[in-house]
Amino acid sequence: MNKFKTVTTFVSHGILLAAVSCTTLYTKSKKEDSMYCVGSPAQAVQLFPTSVEAIEALVADSIEKAKKEVQKIIDVHDDKRTFANTIKAYDNVALSDFSIASNVLQSLEMVSPHEKLRESAHQSIIRMQGFAVDYLSNDRELYNALKYYAEHNAVNESLTTQELYFMHETLASFKRNGLDLPDEQQEKIKQLKKELATLTLDFDTNIAKDNKTITVKPDALPGVDADFLAVLKKTDAGDYIVGVDYPTFFMVMQNCSNVHTRKALFLAFNNRAYPVNESVLHTIVKKRDQLAKMLGFVSYAALDTSDQMVKTPDRAYQFIHDLLEQSSKKEAQEYKDLLKELPEGVILNADGKANAWDTAYIINQYKKKHFDIDELKIAEYFPMEKAVQGLLDIYQQFFGLNFKDQKADNAWHEDVRLISVYDATNNSLLGYLFLDMYPRENKFTHACENTVIPSTYDEHNNPILGVSLVICNFPKSTQSKPSLLKRDDVQTFFHEFGHALHDLLGRTHIASLAGAHTKQDFVELPSQMLEEWLSDASILKQLSSHYLTGEQLPDQLIERILSLRHFASGSFVQRQLMLSLLSLELHKDGEDKDIHAMYKEIFNRTRHFVAYDPQDHMYASFGHLTGYGAKYYGYMWSKVFALDLFEEIKKYGLLNPEIGKKYVREVIGKGGSQDPDELLKAFLGREPNQKAFLKDLGLGELN
């Protein structure tokens, strides 16, 4: 599961939203209005402060500048208001040192190996969130200025479609934030949003700080790759110390035949940030409900979906329940096959269900036996460096790009890689992309992509270079083997790189609408669509290169891999829908909810063949609950559209640059500057549908 995470200057609905608004980065000068400028790899690296003092100076300076920019908008006399000095000036506040600093510091907290820098970044983000509430998202004078222009002066100017869309979306956002409410109520809303901003940041930080481990005897990891074991830390007594980072967790859960080890690691993993985050989450849910009621919504779910493609919680529920019904028969057939011949040592519970710590192992052993698929053997064909280069080659051809490695000297860690991205048509530089690929203590444990600077234009219509960061946690090289990526790892990289390309290629004139700043239930479409390249035999062949021989994946092995296309898809969808329901149910009407009881009920309602364990508190580390709120359904929602687009692109060829250009021009190149429904219709030439999605699950045929 991939997590998309971005940063913003605006606090809306009490969370740090996925707005990719940032600024042109001009070279630092003594001028009062100076901003950053990234025109070289070295300047991209220099975005990230290397000391607490530098962080503090950056925050103080950027806040002061943002205050002045907001005041300039407010001070314009109403009859002199224009789009440029009011609406675009507001967008330019999003294009300020303040926004870049927010993005940089949130990224730094996720990746810096230095505790003092992480803590300084954490406290600075809280301070900046408070400023954003007071001076941006909930400033009544600023709202009145924007509102006056929209209601009176806008008719006197010929605004572009993009400008009109931004103006209407911005005013609607202010109204959802309660700016039409009385002052006393508005002050309460401000306070609630500040509290929520701090709580959600604490929730994420608690997950990152939890470095749980289990200690097991040397003979307690049978089936686990010997080279992998060689890099595990050991106690003085020679016992293995097994962590909860993703590469370690999945290696053990899928391959270790010792049930006691699997159970111990499962409970450690699913209790990350527990119990501290259960209390934090309970408070978040309570305060979100209070906020929604103050803003005139029946629930936070209603507030959170009101500006999305889905529009209402009822429609989200209907979408989820329809898919639950459609995928349940597929899941039933899958588990009928899986459970009738269990691996040695695996025992079902009294109700005939598989224990949660056994499912990954059962599935992996079944694949080995019935499909002759050994994921660790397949990983030998995907050494990370060559797999990444293969992906870059594919994207260069399809999107018409050139990628060049650059020096990342003095970046936050020696493992960091920096790539410059060029338009192959005219060799123009589009921006820079950081890759931070390996796990380490206190680093963000999932996979995500962060926008640092959006792709947009300056006041003279010159392109601004975008800067993005892809964070992954892939296994490191051992003494005998390079870093080898399992197919899930390769898919993860395709996914996160898809977000990065969305950011770099989605250049808009309104910076607040650049790149991945789309409706949040649409934002996963480009990344999930690009995952589908791995379902094509020629792409798998092109990507693969055995780490010893250089041999590509044999055709017979590729056939067996592709025969897994529908394998366990029902179970996957059911789990995603379980998480979607949890996300929605936590945010339905009501302040006080028994989170553990709710999780148990939803688990049992949706995971019909997997036993619930009362010691399982995965919601304490379910980071999407902060960034996505009630909107986790968006992963499946956007998956439907992603597969529809993929089937259309596949007709023309997955390496066809002409269809690639059309996809950029009509979908991701628009960023968030147009309603997603319009983008889909324009590209497909028809209304989108679920046929490709159902076919992908093995539940329907594409007509």
Side-chain angles (χ1 to χ4, degrees):
M1 191 187 308
N2 301 310
K3 180 177 181 181
F4 174 58
K5 191 177 181 75
T6 54
V7 287
T8 182
T9 60
F10 300 106
V11 178
S12 181
H13 311 342
I15 60 173
L16 200 63
L17 276 185
V20 288
S21 308
C22 331
T23 183
T24 315
L25 295 182
Y26 296 97
T27 305
K28 274 284 190 182
S29 71
K30 293 183 180 179
K31 292 183 179 180
E32 188 173 81
D33 60 346
S34 65
M35 294 186 290
Y36 296 103
C37 177
V38 168
S40 69
Q43 288 177 327
V45 172
Q46 290 166 9
L47 285 169
F48 297 87
T50 57
S51 70
V52 171
E53 293 76 18
I55 290 175
E56 292 173 349
L58 173 64
V59 173
D61 184 56
S62 63
I63 285 178
E64 187 59 33
K65 288 177 183 177
K67 282 182 182 178
K68 291 178 180 178
E69 291 303 309
V70 171
Q71 195 59 46
K72 283 182 183 178
I73 298 172
I74 293 171
D75 287 344
V76 174
H77 195 278
D78 281 345
D79 63 4
K80 301 294 184 183
R81 293 201 177 281
T82 64
F83 184 86
N85 67 26
T86 302
I87 304 295
K88 189 63 176 75
Y90 173 69
D91 181 50
N92 290 343
V93 174
L95 295 174
S96 65
D97 289 15
F98 178 79
S99 289
I100 291 299
S102 298
N103 294 349
V104 164
L105 293 178
Q106 185 159 335
S107 295
L108 198 63
E109 186 184 9
M110 297 170 74
V111 297
S112 176
H114 304 295
E115 183 178 359
K116 289 184 178 179
L117 288 185
R118 292 195 306 272
E119 181 59 27
S120 178
H122 181 85
Q123 295 302 324
S124 295
I125 294 167
I126 292 174
R127 179 183 174 190
M128 297 176 90
Q129 288 173 327
F131 171 85
V133 171
D134 288 334
Y135 289 88
L136 294 171
S137 67
N138 286 69
D139 187 303
R140 190 183 295 277
E141 286 187 291
L142 178 61
Y143 169 58
N144 288 338
L146 302 179
K147 184 179 179 182
Y148 187 92
Y149 170 79
E151 293 180 349
H152 298 89
N153 300 9
V155 294
N156 300 321
E157 297 188 77
S158 298
L159 302 182
T160 66
T161 301
Q162 188 176 133
E163 289 168 343
L164 285 168
Y165 184 79
F166 175 63
M167 182 174 69
H168 293 150
E169 288 286 301
T170 299
L171 269 294
S173 177
F174 271 105
K175 289 179 181 178
R176 280 194 303 275
N177 283 332
L179 271 294
D180 286 332
L181 298 174
D183 289 344
E184 181 179 350
Q185 197 165 350
Q186 181 58 217
E187 286 303 312
K188 292 179 181 178
I189 290 170
K190 280 186 180 182
Q191 183 58 37
L192 257 182
K193 291 176 75 173
K194 289 178 183 179
E195 292 171 4
L196 277 165
T198 301
L199 285 163
T200 53
L201 189 59
D202 288 345
F203 187 86
D204 290 340
T205 301
N206 290 337
I207 299 170
K209 285 182 176 179
D210 194 326
N211 295 309
K212 278 188 173 68
T213 61
I214 64 169
T215 302
V216 299
K217 297 294 182 182
D219 61 354
L221 290 165
V224 177
D225 182 69
D227 289 306
F228 186 85
L229 293 177
V231 300
L232 287 180
K233 293 180 181 179
K234 290 185 177 182
T235 66
D236 292 339
D239 296 335
Y240 285 116
I241 300 173
V242 184
V244 292
D245 60 276
Y246 279 74
T248 301
F249 177 73
F250 288 116
M251 174 65 78
V252 173
M253 299 308 292
Q254 293 172 357
N255 297 284
C256 179
S257 60
N258 187 311
V259 64
H260 303 293
T261 301
R262 293 198 307 272
K263 180 177 180 179
L265 187 59
F266 170 85
L267 292 176
F269 184 84
N270 277 33
N271 282 287
R272 287 171 297 150
Y274 177 81
V276 60
N277 264 1
E278 182 162 54
S279 174
V280 174
L281 182 58
H282 187 272
T283 306
I284 288 172
V285 168
K286 180 176 182 178
K287 290 185 180 295
R288 280 177 170 174
D289 187 75
Q290 292 172 355
L291 176 65
K293 300 291 176 50
M294 287 185 184
L295 293 173
F297 290 85
V298 69
S299 67
Y300 186 79
L303 167 63
D304 211 23
T305 57
S306 62
D307 62 340
Q308 301 298 305
M309 292 181 72
V310 78
K311 303 299 183 188
T312 67
D314 286 345
R315 193 176 175 205
Y317 275 118
Q318 188 62 53
F319 171 76
I320 292 169
H321 289 306
D322 286 348
L323 284 188
L324 279 171
E325 183 177 351
Q326 289 170 318
S327 59
S328 61
K329 291 182 180 179
K330 178 70 165 55
E331 182 201 35
Q333 182 58 53
E334 290 165 1
Y335 272 98
K336 180 181 179 182
D337 295 336
L338 288 169
L339 301 185
K340 68 183 178 183
E341 43 182 317
L342 295 171
E344 184 179 351
V346 175
I347 300 173
L348 302 181
N349 77 347
D351 296 324
K353 295 184 177 183
N355 291 305
W357 48 85
D358 290 332
T359 55
Y361 182 69
I362 292 170
I363 289 172
N364 195 37
Q365 297 307 305
Y366 189 91
K367 285 195 294 186
K368 288 181 180 181
K369 181 176 180 179
H370 291 275
F371 293 90
D372 194 18
I373 291 288
D374 186 336
E375 295 293 354
L376 294 181
K377 292 295 183 183
I378 293 173
E380 294 180 357
Y381 288 89
F382 294 105
M384 194 191 78
E385 291 297 329
K386 290 187 179 180
V388 168
Q389 187 56 52
L391 174 142
L392 296 179
D393 291 342
I394 288 168
Y395 284 173
Q396 283 182 138
Q397 186 169 344
F398 181 72
F399 288 104
L401 301 172
N402 282 327
F403 299 107
K404 295 181 181 179
D405 273 298
Q406 303 291 346
K407 290 184 178 180
D409 296 340
N410 302 314
W412 57 89
H413 195 272
E414 61 183 9
D415 289 338
V416 174
R417 180 177 175 183
L418 179 59
I419 296 172
S420 55
V421 184
Y422 295 84
D423 185 328
T425 304
N426 54 22
N427 204 37
S428 61
L429 180 61
L430 300 174
Y432 297 101
L433 176 59
F434 288 95
L435 304 180
D436 191 340
M437 308 294 275
Y438 302 111
R440 55 182 177 269
E441 282 192 6
N442 299 305
K443 178 186 168 184
F444 178 70
T445 57
H446 218 318
C448 69
E449 183 267 348
N450 286 355
T451 307
V452 181
I453 305 173
S455 294
T456 182
Y457 297 90
D458 65 16
E459 58 184 323
H460 304 295
N461 207 36
N462 298 313
I464 292 171
L465 301 181
V467 178
S468 292
L469 163 64
V470 170
I471 301 173
C472 296
N473 285 279
F474 296 144
K476 296 200 75 169
S477 301
T478 67
Q479 289 184 345
S480 59
K481 292 180 182 177
S483 172
L484 300 177
L485 302 185
K486 290 186 292 184
R487 288 190 304 126
D488 286 347
D489 295 329
V490 180
Q491 178 176 304
T492 292
F493 191 59
F494 263 75
H495 181 104
E496 301 307 339
F497 209 90
H499 283 309
L501 289 181
H502 194 182
D503 270 337
L504 293 176
L505 298 177
R507 178 172 278 125
T508 59
H509 286 86
I510 300 295
S512 299
L513 303 177
H517 190 199
T518 68
K519 303 294 185 185
Q520 204 166 358
D521 50 9
F522 182 78
V523 77
E524 296 295 337
L525 180 148
S527 50
Q528 293 192 112
M529 197 269 285
L530 289 173
E531 291 177 19
E532 296 304 313
W533 261 244
L534 296 175
S535 66
D536 182 84
S538 62
I539 297 296
L540 285 173
K541 178 78 79 172
Q542 182 173 331
L543 278 173
S544 58
S545 175
H546 196 280
Y547 81 99
L548 289 176
T549 66
E551 175 192 6
Q552 293 180 319
L553 278 169
D555 291 337
Q556 288 185 339
L557 182 52
I558 290 177
E559 288 179 11
R560 295 201 301 273
I561 289 172
L562 296 182
S563 71
L564 286 170
R565 177 75 173 158
H566 303 149
F567 177 70
S569 60
S571 178
F572 168 78
V573 171
Q574 292 273 312
R575 183 177 185 276
Q576 284 292 83
L577 296 175
M578 175 197 76
L579 297 174
S580 301
L581 278 175
L582 179 63
S583 164
L584 274 171
E585 292 281 297
L586 280 173
H587 296 106
K588 66 182 181 181
D589 183 21
E591 290 187 14
D592 295 308
K593 300 180 177 76
D594 186 333
I595 298 173
H596 193 97
M598 181 177 289
Y599 173 56
K600 175 183 177 181
E601 189 277 326
I602 294 172
F603 188 104
N604 287 330
R605 193 190 337 159
T606 56
R607 309 303 311 280
H608 303 109
F609 303 94
V610 181
Y612 166 79
D613 189 276
Q615 299 176 82
D616 177 1
H617 303 92
M618 65 76 56
Y619 49 82
S621 58
F622 186 20
H624 290 82
L625 289 174
T626 55
Y628 280 72
K631 303 186 295 295
Y632 192 79
Y633 71 86
Y635 270 90
M636 283 289 96
W637 178 271
S638 57
K639 182 80 168 178
V640 171
F641 301 131
L643 287 163
D644 203 1
L645 261 64
F646 176 73
E647 287 292 336
E648 180 67 18
I649 289 172
K650 196 172 182 179
K651 295 175 185 176
Y652 298 88
L654 297 182
L655 297 177
N656 185 332
E658 293 306 312
I659 192 67
K661 289 177 183 177
K662 179 183 178 183
Y663 174 65
V664 172
R665 184 175 63 250
E666 297 187 2
V667 184
I668 63 172
K670 300 282 189 179
S673 66
Q674 197 170 337
D675 187 282
D677 286 313
E678 296 175 6
L679 300 181
L680 293 169
K681 291 175 190 175
F683 183 82
L684 295 169
R686 57 169 171 78
E687 293 282 347
N689 60 58
Q690 291 189 2
K691 291 180 181 179
F693 179 76
L694 296 177
K695 177 187 175 185
D696 185 69
L697 289 177
L699 299 178
E701 294 295 328
L702 189 66
N703 294 325

